[in-house]
Amino acid sequence: NIRLISKGEPGHWDDNLGGEHQAVVYPIHHLMTALLTLKFLALFFESIRYHFLRVTGHAYFWSGVYYTFAFLKGTFLFTVILLLGSGWSFVKPFLGDREKNMACAILGLQVINNIAIVVLTQKTEGERSFDRWTGILHMVDILCCCAVLIPIV
């Protein structure tokens, strides 16, 4: 198509947009749209949080709203990665019992990890144990990501 346009000829966009060639939308596309919406809302509420921190010096309510959406976004992101890693939606439209059990275990650990990271960043920043616990929680996060690869192997 680019080659045709560079020669001054019209592209073939009309062939791709209508009629016979309809785009296939898998359920994972809807999940990715929801993930994008959660990402947008988390960034939006973070900007409001920083605005109120700058103007009033505190933003307790907006911090809670931001951390709620950041938690949802992180959990949803990991869920989508887990589903893609297990081959759901494109390769097979279902998960086996082994994959369901592994997904529940990994998602549970990831939820606990995300809650611990939020609590850690709220309560202990600047303390000596902050760096150690941050390292441990990031290691758990990495182990969860590696566990996602198990269904693939």
Side-chain angles (χ1 to χ4, degrees):
N1 205 11
I2 293 176
R3 191 177 305 136
L4 291 173
I5 293 172
S6 66
K7 291 181 181 179
E9 298 176 19
H12 296 288
W13 296 108
D14 55 343
D15 290 344
N16 294 330
L17 290 179
E20 303 169 14
H21 304 341
Q22 291 295 322
V24 177
V25 179
Y26 292 101
I28 197 72
H29 293 122
H30 297 296
L31 292 176
M32 292 298 287
T33 302
L35 178 62
L36 186 63
T37 303
L38 285 173
K39 173 70 173 173
F40 168 76
L41 289 172
L43 286 173
F44 177 71
F45 289 125
E46 185 179 25
S47 67
I48 291 175
R49 175 178 167 251
Y50 281 130
H51 169 74
F52 277 94
L53 278 173
R54 185 177 54 101
V55 172
T56 64
H58 59 83
Y60 299 115
F61 173 74
W62 293 110
S63 292
V65 173
Y66 161 68
Y67 284 122
T68 300
F69 278 98
F71 169 75
L72 290 173
K73 177 200 54 110
T75 304
F76 208 74
L77 172 67
F78 204 80
T79 303
V80 168
I81 291 171
L82 182 67
L83 289 172
L84 284 173
S86 67
W88 179 78
S89 187
F90 292 117
V91 180
K92 56 185 177 180
F94 57 88
L95 292 177
D97 288 336
R98 178 176 176 249
E99 292 161 339
K100 285 180 189 176
N101 292 337
M102 185 171 292
C104 288
I106 293 171
L107 283 176
L109 185 60
Q110 190 67 27
V111 165
I112 293 169
N113 189 37
N114 281 341
I115 292 171
I117 287 174
V118 168
V119 170
L120 181 71
T121 56
Q122 281 293 302
K123 300 294 180 190
T124 61
E125 191 168 0
E127 294 181 9
R128 252 186 250 160
S129 63
F130 177 77
D131 290 332
R132 183 183 57 204
W133 278 108
T134 301
I136 290 171
L137 292 174
H138 286 302
M139 181 61 72
V140 170
D141 205 18
I142 291 169
L143 290 174
C144 286
C145 290
C146 291
V148 168
L149 298 175
I150 292 173
I152 297 172
V153 178

